[in-house]
Amino acid sequence: MATTATTVPAHVPDALVWDADFDAFTAEGRDPWAAICRLHDGPPIRWCTNVAYGRSGWLLTRYDLISEAMIDYENFTAERHGMIADLVGENVRLNPIEIDPPAHHGYRRLLNPHFTPKALRELEEAVRRSASELVDKFAGQGGCEFISQFAIPYPSYVFLDLMNMPRAMLDQFIHWEDGIMRGADMAERVKAAREVYAYLKAHREKQLEQPGNPLLDAMVNGEVDGRQLTYLESMGMFYVLYVGGLDTVYSTLGWILRYLATHPDLQERLRADSELIGPAVEEFTRAFSVVVTHRNLARDTVFHGVQMKAGEEIHLPLMLADRDPSVFADPHRVDIDRKSRHIAFGTGTHNCLGIHLAKRELRIVIELFLQRFSNIRLREGEEYRYHTGRTFGIEYLPLAWD
Ligand code: HEM
């Protein structure tokens, strides 16, 4: 589908130019994974005239190339200024996702110890409780609209517990999230982002006065390079933990529940042997990798024979990596017995800080729904709705059960 006659830089070979709106292309048809994977049939490196928000840039379509770009932070930088600064009105950067090594390592050293499986063990009970509380609200109704009644509030609940914030803030946080992610216009998104930022700032100040929570202490009083974190470095961490686990978790959950609702045989298998839920989470996150991330060229470089110039964007759809037929046999098949080395949580220096938390959140939901409900299915006569873009997410998923 042709877009506008965007000027293509002179160094881009004609054969690599793809005059298309990437987001519209991925949204064609009923299955975004099938839609985007048509790109596997073309060149592994392309120049897309509208790769995101009307901007042009490079697009990689293969597992090996995408992994290589994520690992090679010297050529493909994640450094960005101003992405959220405009939104929240302070010169803050998402920390550590918008910062390259070596500075990046110092921030991760502060955060990592609080996101290991061992450190998260205590949070697990709270996560289970949040999931149960949400399910209790609709358990007797024979079904639910999974996204609004469960998938959206659930990660906010987990965030509140992780950050030692009052659970009574749940509705307020859902309201803010709605404004940021689905706000009708920019003004609404800015308003919600500023309100949440102000709340995070006040929570940080409270922590300065009453320390004691190990994760918050690290984010407020932690040291990098022998000095205390600055206010903006610290706020960048608060904000990244807020946004990092919201739409990623809800989107992945939506695809998982949709798959289970259309595969009663797999429901039965997982119910009969809950040990299989761990491997199922692995395979679900591969098959339903929801993130399209990007980098910028730090300098002029030749990447696999293609000349790229400093400052250009390079987009990395992780679903193309994780459904690459040259790495995963029969990639569109969900096979929980598959041993996979997928990159749904990224790879290299910026690999997901919340990976163990996320997997736990997903496992707990699958366990809970399978325990509480039998014959989970899509509500008859209704259609699910989804969006593509920077994350592939289901927006509406009507479920029924016996
Ligand atoms: C299914 C859920 C999740 C998925 C699929 C996911 C995916 C990802 C991916 C692909 C990246 C790397 C992005 C890049 O390199 O550009 C990433 C980074 C990150 N994620 Fe997650 N994520 C999930 C859940 C979470 C949760 C629950 C948290 C909250 C703690 C979180 C926090 C982060 C942070 C802080 C980073 C940046 C790490 C760094 O720059 O060093 N994520 N995630």
Side-chain angles (χ1 to χ4, degrees), residues 193-267:
R194 289 193 181 191
E195 284 175 9
V196 108
Y197 192 77
Y199 185 82
L200 296 177
K201 190 170 161 179
H203 190 65
R204 178 181 177 277
E205 275 155 21
K206 210 184 295 166
Q207 188 64 26
L208 277 171
E209 288 153 23
Q210 304 161 5
N213 176 292
L215 168 63
L216 296 179
D217 281 346
M219 289 162 62
V220 172
N221 296 312
E223 285 191 4
V224 285
D225 292 336
R227 60 162 179 85
Q228 195 176 341
L229 286 174
T230 65
Y231 160 73
L232 285 176
E233 287 169 334
S234 167
M235 282 308 295
M237 286 181 178
F238 274 84
Y239 201 81
V240 93
L241 289 189
Y242 169 61
V243 289
L246 292 185
D247 65 334
T248 48
V249 172
Y250 108 71
S251 301
T252 310
L253 268 179
W255 296 109
I256 293 178
L257 262 289
R258 177 171 184 268
Y259 188 85
L260 284 173
T262 47
H263 292 81
D265 47 334
L266 184 57
Q267 286 183 39

Side-chain angles (χ1 to χ4, degrees), residues 4 27 50 58 64 67 98 191 194 206 214 236 250 264-265 268 330 353 381:
T4 50
N50 180 0
W58 296 105
D64 289 346
S67 303
E98 295 182 340
K191 181 171 178 290
R194 289 193 181 191
K206 210 184 295 166
Y250 108 71
D265 47 334
E268 279 319 310
D330 203 357
L353 173 72

Side-chain angles (χ1 to χ4, degrees), residues 70 96-97 104 108 115 244-245 248 252 293 295 318 344-346 350 352:
M70 292 183 101
I97 196 144
H104 172 272
R108 277 296 289 251
F115 288 89
T248 48
T252 310
T293 185
R295 299 286 188 268
L318 302 186
F345 293 94
H350 290 286
C352 180

Side-chain angles (χ1 to χ4, degrees), residues 117-329:
K118 193 163 165 241
L120 292 168
R121 211 169 288 150
E122 253 178 56
L123 192 66
E124 174 147 351
E125 261 325 292
V127 177
R128 233 175 254 287
R129 185 161 55 113
S130 303
S132 292
E133 270 178 29
L134 289 168
V135 164
D136 287 343
K137 292 187 190 165
F138 51 70
Q141 296 169 7
C144 71
E145 195 290 286
F146 180 72
I147 303 302
S148 58
Q149 291 185 273
F150 189 90
I152 290 179
Y154 177 59
S156 286
Y157 242 153
V158 174
F159 176 75
L160 292 175
D161 284 333
L162 178 72
M163 303 295 278
N164 207 16
M165 289 172 177
R167 305 182 110 220
M169 285 298 290
L170 182 67
D171 287 347
Q172 178 62 75
F173 265 85
I174 293 168
H175 181 71
W176 282 329
E177 180 187 346
D178 214 42
I180 294 171
M181 308 270 178
R182 292 166 283 276
D185 53 29
M186 201 55 193
E188 202 178 307
R189 286 198 282 277
V190 167
K191 181 171 178 290
R194 289 193 181 191
E195 284 175 9
V196 108
Y197 192 77
Y199 185 82
L200 296 177
K201 190 170 161 179
H203 190 65
R204 178 181 177 277
E205 275 155 21
K206 210 184 295 166
Q207 188 64 26
L208 277 171
E209 288 153 23
Q210 304 161 5
N213 176 292
L215 168 63
L216 296 179
D217 281 346
M219 289 162 62
V220 172
N221 296 312
E223 285 191 4
V224 285
D225 292 336
R227 60 162 179 85
Q228 195 176 341
L229 286 174
T230 65
Y231 160 73
L232 285 176
E233 287 169 334
S234 167
M235 282 308 295
M237 286 181 178
F238 274 84
Y239 201 81
V240 93
L241 289 189
Y242 169 61
V243 289
L246 292 185
D247 65 334
T248 48
V249 172
Y250 108 71
S251 301
T252 310
L253 268 179
W255 296 109
I256 293 178
L257 262 289
R258 177 171 184 268
Y259 188 85
L260 284 173
T262 47
H263 292 81
D265 47 334
L266 184 57
Q267 286 183 39
E268 279 319 310
R269 200 174 160 207
L270 298 180
R271 254 185 218 107
D273 184 357
S274 61
E275 293 288 303
L276 294 176
I277 294 180
V281 165
E282 256 344 292
E283 175 63 351
F284 283 140
T285 43
R286 176 200 71 82
F288 305 115
S289 298
V290 294
V291 174
V292 181
T293 185
H294 79 281
R295 299 286 188 268
N296 285 83
L297 269 291
R299 53 176 75 95
D300 291 0
T301 192
V302 177
F303 185 64
H304 292 266
V306 175
Q307 174 72 64
M308 298 179 174
K309 296 275 189 188
E312 289 172 350
E313 288 184 15
I314 183 155
H315 288 252
L316 314 166
L318 302 186
M319 53 292 278
L320 282 177
D322 287 339
R323 290 201 184 203
D324 183 338
S326 63
V327 178
F328 303 100

Side-chain angles (χ1 to χ4, degrees), residues 373-384:
F373 308 122
S374 57
N375 189 20
I376 300 170
R377 57 195 182 276
L378 299 183
R379 209 184 291 150
E380 228 176 281
E382 290 212 56
E383 282 284 339
Y384 85 114

